[in-house]
Amino acid sequence: MSQSDLDEELSLEVGEIARLLSYILFLLVSAGMFFAAGDIPTSRFEKLGAGAFPQFVFAGIFLICAIAIVLTVPKIPARAYGQLFNQAILWARKCYLVFVCLAALGVYLVAMPWLGFSLASLIFLFGLQMALLPRSLNTIFIAAIVAVVFSYGLNMLFADIFTVFLPKGVF
């Protein structure tokens, strides 16, 4: 077997594992939604309750996912599970900027109530541009202008034209 055939087979096995993980995720979400649908308040006109139909749907999704899991597990050789971890590490290293952007967004959303929309947006936009752009004096200057315009400019636009006041923050 050639190297390209081995790589293709490994790719298919890793794809099967990814599919299995998606089945497990959907199974867990449908189980959670099944129990959450049971908490929907009922009226006196409904014998089954308002959550009966959603529970029926989520039970069906749960059952389909369980069957898919049972049918998928025997298809995957044991060596493929170890390869999945290695492939995931390689992917995470290759796509590290995705994680940087998600972390910056999380910090931005947590900081906005304290810093206010304008200041939090200024820091978020400038910091993210510094992480993504090549750094030169020209790009830093442009990034600063973009951050100021889109943070304070949007705040002024919403406040003065749309009369929608964005979070002011403590500062």
Side-chain angles (χ1 to χ4, degrees):
M1 211 178 232
S2 70
Q3 182 63 33
S4 64
D5 291 339
L6 288 173
D7 288 342
E8 184 178 332
E9 185 178 326
L10 177 64
S11 174
L12 292 173
E13 292 169 354
V14 170
E16 284 293 323
I17 292 175
R19 191 172 295 118
L20 175 66
L21 292 175
S22 70
Y23 294 153
I24 293 169
L25 177 69
F26 282 121
L27 181 124
L28 294 173
V29 169
S30 65
M33 296 300 287
F34 176 85
F35 291 113
D39 294 337
I40 296 174
T42 60
S43 70
R44 61 184 175 157
F45 303 109
E46 300 169 310
K47 291 185 180 185
L48 291 177
F53 181 72
Q55 282 183 318
F56 177 72
V57 171
F58 290 125
I61 294 171
F62 183 90
L63 181 64
I64 290 169
C65 288
I67 292 169
I69 289 168
V70 168
L71 294 175
T72 303
V73 169
K75 292 181 184 178
I76 303 170
R79 64 181 161 74
Y81 292 103
Q83 290 295 328
L84 175 72
F85 182 74
N86 294 336
Q87 293 289 331
I89 296 296
L90 289 174
W91 174 81
R93 286 184 181 160
K94 188 171 76 172
C95 301
Y96 77 95
L97 285 176
V98 172
F99 298 111
V100 169
C101 292
L102 286 173
L105 179 64
V107 170
Y108 170 65
L109 293 175
V110 169
M112 190 183 305
W114 287 288
L115 297 178
F117 174 81
S118 296
L119 185 57
S121 296
L122 176 76
I123 295 168
F124 170 72
L125 290 171
F126 187 74
L128 204 55
Q129 289 179 88
M130 288 296 97
L132 297 175
L133 293 174
R135 287 176 205 89
S136 70
L137 191 58
N138 194 25
T139 58
I140 292 172
F141 179 70
I142 292 170
I145 290 173
V146 167
V148 168
V149 167
F150 278 98
S151 59
Y152 288 97
L154 276 177
N155 194 21
M156 288 173 40
L157 174 76
F158 273 84
D160 295 341
I161 295 181
F162 300 128
T163 56
V164 173
F165 299 100
L166 300 173
K168 295 275 186 215
V170 177
F171 299 110

